[in-house]
Amino acid sequence: MTDIHKHCPVCNTPIPLDETTCSPKCQKVLRDRQAQMKRSRMILFVVMVIFILVFAYMMFF
């Protein structure tokens, strides 16, 4: 009989299905990564909006 489990997204250690990470340290690393990803997406979005606004300005004026 096989033990059903998943793996920690940070260190790849097997963990139970109801856990997100294997330790508080990995939980902090995961939260930090998610925050960085959110910041990166927001910066990309802002840069794209600025680019579109500058492009639209140059097209009409």
Side-chain angles (χ1 to χ4, degrees):
M1 185 172 211
T2 60
D3 184 26
I4 297 176
H5 65 275
K6 63 182 183 178
H7 293 265
C8 176
V10 177
C11 65
N12 209 28
T13 302
I15 57 174
L17 291 174
D18 60 341
E19 297 292 325
T20 306
T21 57
C22 65
S23 68
K25 179 182 172 187
C26 284
Q27 183 67 35
K28 182 183 180 327
V29 171
L30 184 62
R31 265 196 322 270
D32 291 346
R33 284 182 187 172
Q34 289 171 338
Q36 179 63 40
M37 202 178 319
K38 186 176 180 180
R39 277 190 300 272
S40 296
R41 285 184 185 147
M42 185 57 69
I43 290 170
L44 179 62
F45 177 75
V46 168
V47 168
M48 289 177 68
V49 168
I50 290 171
F51 177 77
I52 290 169
L53 290 174
V54 168
F55 183 74
Y57 178 79
M58 295 181 100
M59 288 289 291
F60 297 114
F61 296 107

